[in-house]
Amino acid sequence: MPLKVNAFFQINHLAGWTPHLNSSPRNQTHQTRHSMDDVVGSAAAITATGKKRPRLLRHTKSKPKEEEEEEEEEEEEAPKEVDIEDLGFCRDETLEIREFLLEWYDRNQRDLPWRRISSGDDEDGSERRAYAVWVSEVMLQQTRVQTVIDYFNRWMHKWPTICHLARASIEEVNEMWAGLGYYRRARYLLEGAKKIVEEGGVFPKTVSALLKVPGIGDYTAGAIASITFKEVVPVVDGNVVRVVARLKAISANPKESVTIKNFWKLAGQLVDPSRPGDFNQSLMELGATICTLLNPNCSVCPVSNHCRALSLARQNSSAQVTDYPTKVVKSKKRHEFSAVSVVEILEGQDTIEEFQPDGRFLLVKRPDEGLLAGLWEFPSVLLGVEADLATRRYAIDQFLKKSFNLDLKRSCTVVLREDIGEHVHVFSHIRLKMYVELLVLRLKGQRRVLHGKPDSKTMAWKSIDSKALSSMGLTSGVRKNAVKLVAFHPIIACSVVQESSIPIVPAKETVDATTAEAVAPAKPKAPIKLLPS
């Protein structure tokens, strides 16, 4: 008899469900599913002992009343959390999720420009599709889809193939990327393109080969390999983590390396072998449009019947689908302060009644490594703490004297020096508060000093006219600062933002888009007169 009971248990348990002999079929609609490894391990342990039986397959031997009551109470307890390493999708569940998701994706996928580029039947078609997928996936990291569309179209128009991109300069790439943020992504795209072209120009087709390209990690490699070359591999981004965490009600910290590894394993179980790229896109599409972070639309979700988080929410009013994945407390951003000086060098007369179009502006190139690597910005000085106007001006004066040999008391005349206002720019780990000033100078007997090449070996800089500003790879912070110059210097403001998505608004209505804090800069003085040095 024990052998028969064990055999019955193993067969049914391996099929993905646990028989409840004292329950009606109606009560078996929501069953806890287990991974095959977990099930096989449990069944083997039971067979080995020959004595231990499932709790619900009861002996006919009577028990004391107290023990029966305790057992009933145990059965009514909420299900215990299962270790993420023991979770998995059973065969029937996997097949249904694949079918329902792909059917939903075929009907509801968004019309995006990188999806319109077909692989075709030839090698060139696959190369074009792989390149487009690569560019789009890199742009989409940490950036909204609607923002990426225009950038992607401009990028592909200028560099339609990987060979075209490989011939570009870092300045051109930064110019095209300006405003997207996380500029290291653009540099890696260029470096990766150069490496592929140098090695023969054949686009890598497998994850293992793609991972050798600079800047391509597990996610990007999986996306390119599955979408373009049909390799059966998963992709895991924030959307996939959210969907899988809710399907299995996973409460483990999604930022821990062990948890991330298991999300990749679970996603790998689901990938459809016949349509791996479409399935991966469907999983990400579901997370982006239906299974969203704060407002999931479970009523139209194609896989809601397999969602453990939704099942728990229906059983317990205190539980919510949005409880998964677990919210991780973000580390506090470091506060930094800087003084920024928009320095314009004038030529010609000693007085001006309006801004001259032939002025030249100082730009400094940031180091090739670190934050905003290789981008151009107006001269700035990091301040240790929040500082008053006099302290900020002294720091700028010392920087200009040391870096450009510009002594505001001896080598040049100050035409205008105006405090423009403040601007807060938020990075992933830094909250930078910038104090912006406009400084208009005229050199004394050294009018050509800034037209040559920079002498500094540690800092690259150049002086350019206002027209050239529009073609520079400037940081979004510089472009936002330019908005504040509208009332003070319309020539430079229009030059900097004309290629940007940042709208020009009147100074009295200027708003910091990052912090939504109104900025009220002082009114400019007009006409502008020569100030004593």
Side-chain angles (χ1 to χ4, degrees):
M1 182 63 182
L3 292 177
K4 292 182 179 180
V5 171
N6 280 327
F8 173 82
F9 173 77
Q10 293 177 46
I11 292 171
N12 289 283
H13 204 55
L14 287 171
W17 61 278
T18 303
H20 291 254
L21 300 182
N22 60 344
S23 303
S24 64
R26 180 179 297 178
N27 296 329
Q28 297 179 14
T29 54
H30 294 287
Q31 300 294 342
T32 302
R33 298 193 180 266
H34 307 271
S35 69
M36 295 301 290
D37 292 341
D38 188 34
V39 171
V40 172
S42 301
I46 294 170
T47 305
T49 59
K51 296 179 181 180
K52 185 175 180 180
R53 292 188 174 89
R55 182 194 303 165
L56 296 178
L57 298 178
R58 299 179 179 175
H59 295 282
T60 56
K61 180 179 178 180
S62 62
K63 293 183 178 181
K65 185 176 182 180
E66 293 80 9
E67 292 185 19
E68 291 180 358
E69 291 176 353
E70 289 179 3
E71 187 170 284
E72 290 175 359
E73 290 178 0
E74 288 181 2
E75 292 173 5
E76 293 174 358
E77 289 180 357
K80 296 181 180 180
E81 292 185 1
V82 181
D83 193 300
I84 185 174
E85 294 186 11
D86 296 329
L87 291 174
F89 294 94
C90 71
R91 183 176 181 277
D92 290 344
E93 187 179 22
T94 298
L95 293 176
E96 287 189 4
I97 289 175
R98 290 172 181 171
E99 178 185 354
F100 296 160
L101 258 184
L102 286 171
E103 182 181 344
W104 170 83
Y105 179 71
D106 290 340
R107 295 197 311 267
N108 298 281
Q109 63 177 286
R110 290 171 291 180
D111 180 24
L112 301 173
W114 46 89
R115 289 178 178 169
R116 301 181 200 139
I117 301 176
S118 174
S119 297
D121 298 326
D122 59 342
E123 188 73 19
D124 291 340
S126 296
E127 296 276 327
R128 285 193 301 271
R129 180 75 189 282
Y131 171 63
V133 171
W134 182 26
V135 173
S136 66
E137 291 296 343
V138 172
M139 286 185 172
L140 286 167
Q141 294 169 19
Q142 308 294 329
T143 310
R144 296 179 181 275
V145 171
Q146 291 305 315
T147 302
V148 167
I149 290 175
D150 289 339
Y151 279 92
F152 176 83
N153 288 333
R154 290 198 298 268
W155 182 287
M156 297 302 290
H157 178 74
K158 186 165 186 175
W159 301 302
T161 69
I162 195 170
C163 293
H164 288 88
L165 176 59
R167 292 194 290 267
S169 66
I170 186 61
E171 285 76 17
E172 291 177 302
V173 170
N174 282 337
E175 173 196 337
M176 182 67 68
W177 198 271
L180 267 180
Y182 296 92
Y183 292 86
R184 183 178 297 180
R185 297 178 296 172
R187 188 171 78 250
Y188 279 141
L189 268 173
L190 179 59
E191 292 177 3
K194 290 181 180 295
K195 178 179 175 62
I196 291 174
V197 171
E198 287 171 0
E199 295 180 354
V202 179
F203 210 101
K205 295 178 173 57
T206 64
V207 167
S208 58
L210 286 162
L211 288 174
K212 298 177 182 178
V213 177
I216 292 185
D218 293 329
Y219 167 78
T220 307
I224 298 171
S226 63
I227 295 172
T228 306
F229 302 112
K230 312 301 181 185
E231 185 177 3
V232 185
V233 291
V235 297
V236 174
D237 67 349
N239 290 316
V240 174
V241 166
R242 185 163 57 255
V243 172
V244 174
R246 290 172 179 174
L247 284 174
K248 287 297 181 183
I250 297 171
S251 58
N253 186 341
K255 299 296 184 182
E256 292 181 353
S257 58
V258 174
T259 308
I260 294 173
K261 184 182 297 184
N262 281 287
F263 274 121
W264 278 91
K265 182 182 74 173
L266 290 170
Q269 294 175 11
L270 293 176
V271 179
D272 189 286
S274 59
R275 298 176 62 186
D278 287 340
F279 182 83
N280 285 334
Q281 290 182 95
S282 72
L283 204 56
M284 293 186 286
E285 191 91 341
L286 184 71
T289 61
I290 302 295
C291 193
T292 57
L293 182 64
L294 300 177
N295 299 298
N297 192 357
C298 301
S299 62
V300 298
C301 176
V303 292
S304 60
N305 288 339
H306 295 280
C307 183
R308 178 65 176 158
L310 180 59
S311 176
L312 292 174
R314 288 171 174 170
Q315 296 173 25
N316 187 345
S317 59
S318 64
Q320 296 182 336
V321 172
T322 52
D323 292 340
Y324 305 92
T326 300
K327 277 72 174 178
V328 180
V329 179
K330 294 183 179 180
S331 58
K332 190 175 181 180
K333 297 183 187 300
R334 185 172 74 250
H335 286 231
E336 292 187 355
F337 307 90
S338 72
V340 180
S341 185
V342 181
V343 181
E344 180 182 15
I345 309 297
L346 296 180
E347 297 179 356
Q349 299 178 355
D350 288 342
T351 60
I352 56 173
E353 295 298 326
E354 59 183 1
F355 293 104
Q356 296 178 345
D358 60 348
R360 300 183 70 83
F361 299 90
L362 283 183
L363 288 178
V364 177
K365 189 176 184 180
R366 294 185 63 87
D368 292 333
E369 298 293 334
L371 192 66
L372 304 174
L375 294 179
W376 293 91
E377 63 182 8
F378 297 121
S380 62
V381 179
L382 274 179
L383 308 169
V385 294
E386 197 163 5
D388 58 20
L389 179 61
T391 303
R392 300 196 302 267
R393 287 191 172 181
Y394 177 78
I396 286 292
D397 291 351
Q398 294 301 307
F399 176 76
L400 294 177
K401 183 177 181 180
K402 180 180 179 180
S403 303
F404 306 100
N405 197 27
L406 286 175
D407 190 329
L408 271 59
K409 294 182 178 180
R410 296 182 179 181
S411 62
C412 55
T413 299
V414 177
V415 177
L416 172 70
R417 191 167 199 176
E418 191 73 48
D419 188 35
I420 303 300
E422 303 171 359
H423 166 66
V424 176
H425 196 69
V426 180
F427 300 92
S428 59
H429 58 293
I430 298 173
R431 185 180 187 272
L432 178 63
K433 186 174 185 178
M434 294 178 281
Y435 301 94
V436 186
E437 72 166 7
L438 174 62
L439 179 58
V440 183
L441 305 174
R442 179 172 287 104
L443 301 179
K444 292 180 178 179
Q446 304 177 40
R447 294 182 179 179
R448 305 297 298 178
V449 70
L450 293 178
H451 290 251
K453 296 182 179 180
D455 297 326
S456 175
K457 297 180 180 179
T458 59
M459 182 186 68
W461 61 267
K462 59 185 172 182
S463 63
I464 60 175
D465 57 32
S466 59
K467 292 182 180 180
L469 281 174
S470 62
S471 63
M472 295 292 298
L474 302 173
T475 68
S476 57
V478 170
R479 294 175 183 273
K480 289 179 181 178
N481 285 334
V483 174
K484 301 183 184 302
L485 293 171
V486 171
F488 295 86
H489 202 312
I491 295 176
I492 182 176
C494 293
S495 296
V496 172
V497 300
Q498 67 178 355
E499 298 294 334
S500 170
S501 59
I502 301 172
I504 297 179
V505 296
K508 64 180 181 180
E509 299 177 2
T510 300
V511 175
D512 178 358
T514 304
T515 61
E517 297 173 351
V519 179
K523 295 182 179 180
K525 299 177 181 178
I528 300 171
K529 297 181 180 180
L530 180 67
L531 299 178
S533 59

